[in-house]
Amino acid sequence: MTPLSASNSALETTARRLPGDLAIWFFILAELLAFGVFFVVYAFTRANHVELFNAEQLTLDRTSGAINTVLLLTSSFFVVRAVQVAEAGFSRRAAPWLAAAFACGAGFVVVKIFEYAEKIGAGISLSSSTFYMFYLSLTFFHFMHVILGLVIIAAMWNGARTGRYGPDNMNGIETGAAYWHMVDLVWLILFPLIYVMR
């Protein structure tokens, strides 16, 4: 083997690869595009109704939003740890990390349900105002992604506890992790946009 071919071989070995299944990245890009359109339309509408949006934004529970931000960030950290442990060859040890990630995600759902219940109890709906239409539409769209993410994490947990993942079989857990991080990323934009920015 020539020095050049040896060098190329080393580069191929150390080359970065896209984690997970390629299809999930097309899905993620499509979902980010959908959310992006929502965010742009929201920002444009807000710019034309600043006083209304500022006033009704104050009725939102920022504490609940902040708690949910912490829950999703913590959940994503647990997913990262699960992937690292599985990649190190300890699939079953990844299961507790995924269980913790699921618990944080479930906590997000519970907090969000209480938030929705409070708004519905106050008679707020999609038709209440332009701001509430955006608030309910955007947060519920994200909420449904969280529910799907929890189903995926549960499947990942089941795979981890049965020893499915390892250095040579990371596709499933990396695919699920990529989706969950997308859910987290969207919330990190949605929370300040809807709850905080004035």
Side-chain angles (χ1 to χ4, degrees):
M1 180 180 291
T2 65
L4 181 59
S5 62
S7 176
N8 288 338
S9 177
L11 285 174
E12 289 174 4
T13 302
T14 59
R16 292 182 177 274
R17 64 177 181 82
L18 195 63
D21 194 284
L22 180 61
I24 193 64
W25 290 102
F26 284 109
F27 179 77
I28 287 172
L29 288 174
E31 292 302 291
L32 289 177
L33 178 61
F35 275 107
V37 170
F38 258 127
F39 292 155
V40 169
V41 173
Y42 172 86
F44 179 81
T45 307
R46 178 186 175 82
N48 290 283
H49 302 84
V50 176
E51 291 184 4
L52 170 67
F53 276 54
N54 282 345
E56 295 190 339
Q57 186 184 60
L58 294 176
T59 66
L60 301 184
D61 188 347
R62 290 185 183 179
T63 301
S64 293
I67 290 171
N68 271 343
T69 301
V70 172
L71 286 171
L72 281 188
L73 285 172
T74 304
S75 181
S76 276
F77 168 74
F78 290 150
V79 169
V80 168
R81 290 295 297 130
V83 171
Q84 291 173 339
V85 170
E87 193 169 24
F90 304 104
S91 179
R92 289 182 174 82
R93 294 185 189 178
W97 290 107
L98 291 170
F102 184 94
C104 289
F108 178 98
V109 169
V110 170
V111 171
K112 206 70 195 158
I113 287 174
F114 275 105
E115 187 179 341
Y116 285 144
E118 189 272 330
K119 290 292 178 285
I120 293 171
I124 293 171
S125 68
L126 287 169
S127 59
S128 294
S129 71
T130 305
F131 173 79
Y132 286 124
M133 183 271 291
F134 276 109
Y135 159 71
L136 291 172
S137 297
L138 278 168
T139 59
F140 188 73
F141 189 39
H142 178 264
F143 180 83
M144 296 308 296
H145 282 74
V146 173
I147 296 296
L148 176 58
L150 289 177
V151 173
I152 292 172
I153 290 177
M156 291 160 60
W157 169 82
N158 185 61
R161 73 183 183 85
T162 57
R164 181 184 307 162
Y165 308 120
D168 299 322
N169 186 23
M170 292 294 293
N171 191 64
I173 194 170
E174 287 180 342
T175 298
Y179 175 84
W180 190 246
H181 294 322
M182 182 272 290
V183 171
D184 193 4
L185 173 63
V186 169
W187 179 256
L188 290 178
I189 299 171
L190 195 157
F191 171 60
L193 186 67
I194 302 292
Y195 289 77
V196 181
M197 292 176 63
R198 298 177 61 77

